[in-house]
Amino acid sequence: MAKLLGKIFGESPKTSATPTAFTIKIDPVKFNLATKPEGTVYVQLESLKQKLTKLSSNVENNLMLSIRASTKKNVELASSAFKFDEEYIRKGKFEVEYLTLAYATFQNLGEGDIKSVKDARMILRELEKISQIALNIADKAEYVEFANVQELHKDEYGLKPMGDITAEMIKKSVEAFVSGNAKHASETLVMMNEIQSLYDGAVAKIKTSVNDQNITNLTGILSVIEHVKAAADISCSIATHFC
């Protein structure tokens, strides 16, 4: 029976090596969680906002790195995106998740402060999506070929400016929460017009140039374009909460 089950479900691992999914090194005790804030709630929430800002910055950077890796067919650079995600982004997400959960659930915060914590948690979930988008883009680096691969800041589909604008949108949408300035949120939504224009142009160019010989490559490039636009869409989703 054991042999039969092994054939059906696959043999059990022959090694006790730790899967890479569990290599993140974090000591949650250092988060200094408590059922009551140490000091004022304001200081506690300001610290949370700083950590969220840092996480946002790391997500922006990794998105831009992944775009550059894919447009330059740089597999080594793409690989570094995964290392950066594990070393900095995953740790940042872990900490912000613990803080927001503990503050919202175990501390008797006022209505306004609870809303701030829930907003931070909403942003965390959206940043998690963007961080995965960056890795999805990095995955394409080996499989797509752009014409201007040797030119540092140029590609024929406008991905470089799309990436720059999207990174700024991520920054502004989070800053709208951190600073309480609705102007950052409205600016994020306006910037989506630029993204849409670049996206439409890129898709139109791909459609007019596709043939049976390049369809696989152009499908991969289209995937990268779609992922960048998706990250911009998520930024707008965050911003709409703070307009």
Side-chain angles (χ1 to χ4, degrees):
M1 177 63 73
K3 289 183 178 180
L4 176 61
L5 291 174
K7 290 180 180 179
I8 296 174
F9 297 107
E11 298 294 335
S12 60
K14 296 296 191 293
T15 176
S16 59
T18 304
T20 55
F22 299 102
T23 56
I24 186 169
K25 302 298 181 184
I26 285 183
D27 181 4
V29 173
K30 294 181 180 179
F31 298 168
N32 297 318
L33 296 177
T35 55
K36 293 183 179 179
E38 294 184 7
T40 66
V41 174
Y42 174 81
V43 170
Q44 175 177 273
L45 296 186
E46 284 301 303
S47 177
L48 171 61
K49 289 177 180 179
Q50 289 175 12
K51 294 179 189 301
L52 194 62
T53 299
K54 180 62 176 178
L55 174 61
S56 171
S57 177
N58 285 335
V59 169
E60 296 162 35
N61 290 336
N62 220 32
L63 178 66
M64 295 178 72
L65 183 152
S66 297
I67 293 170
R68 182 164 178 241
S70 67
T71 57
K72 303 309 170 190
K73 203 177 180 66
N74 190 327
V75 176
E76 183 177 354
L77 190 62
S79 177
S80 71
F82 287 87
K83 294 177 182 177
F84 186 86
D85 184 88
E86 181 174 330
E87 181 65 24
Y88 298 103
I89 296 176
R90 284 174 57 192
K91 289 182 178 180
K93 292 189 298 184
F94 195 112
E95 183 168 9
V96 172
E97 180 188 16
Y98 264 56
L99 295 178
T100 53
L101 277 175
Y103 294 167
T105 309
F106 303 125
Q107 292 187 358
N108 187 27
L109 302 181
E111 183 178 344
D113 294 330
I114 282 288
K115 182 182 184 305
S116 292
V117 174
K118 288 183 176 180
D119 284 341
R121 185 155 176 76
M122 175 275 295
I123 293 171
L124 168 64
R125 290 193 293 266
E126 300 297 77
L127 290 178
E128 285 181 317
K129 296 175 186 176
I130 298 175
S131 67
Q132 184 58 54
I133 283 173
L135 299 185
N136 292 347
I137 292 172
D139 269 331
K140 304 295 189 306
E142 186 177 2
Y143 304 101
V144 293
E145 185 73 56
F146 288 76
N148 298 300
V149 68
Q150 300 303 326
E151 298 184 48
L152 184 61
H153 296 301
K154 187 175 182 181
D155 66 82
E156 63 267 42
Y157 298 104
L159 271 166
K160 175 64 170 57
M162 277 187 75
D164 289 345
I165 295 167
T166 299
E168 186 66 15
M169 290 172 68
I170 298 168
K171 179 180 179 179
K172 283 183 175 293
S173 64
V174 175
E175 182 61 26
F177 163 68
V178 172
S179 68
N181 189 342
K183 180 181 178 182
H184 295 300
S186 60
E187 288 174 347
T188 302
L189 300 180
V190 170
M191 292 171 77
M192 190 65 202
N193 294 329
E194 298 178 74
I195 292 293
Q196 189 66 53
S197 178
L198 287 165
Y199 170 82
D200 291 341
V203 173
K205 186 173 184 177
I206 287 175
K207 285 184 175 180
T208 58
S209 58
V210 68
N211 55 51
D212 289 344
Q213 286 68 50
N214 65 18
I215 187 171
T216 300
N217 183 54
L218 290 184
T219 299
I221 292 174
L222 180 59
S223 174
V224 176
I225 293 169
E226 291 284 348
H227 276 85
V228 176
K229 183 176 181 295
D233 286 333
I234 292 170
S235 301
C236 288
S237 177
I238 295 172
T240 55
H241 288 80
F242 308 110
C243 287

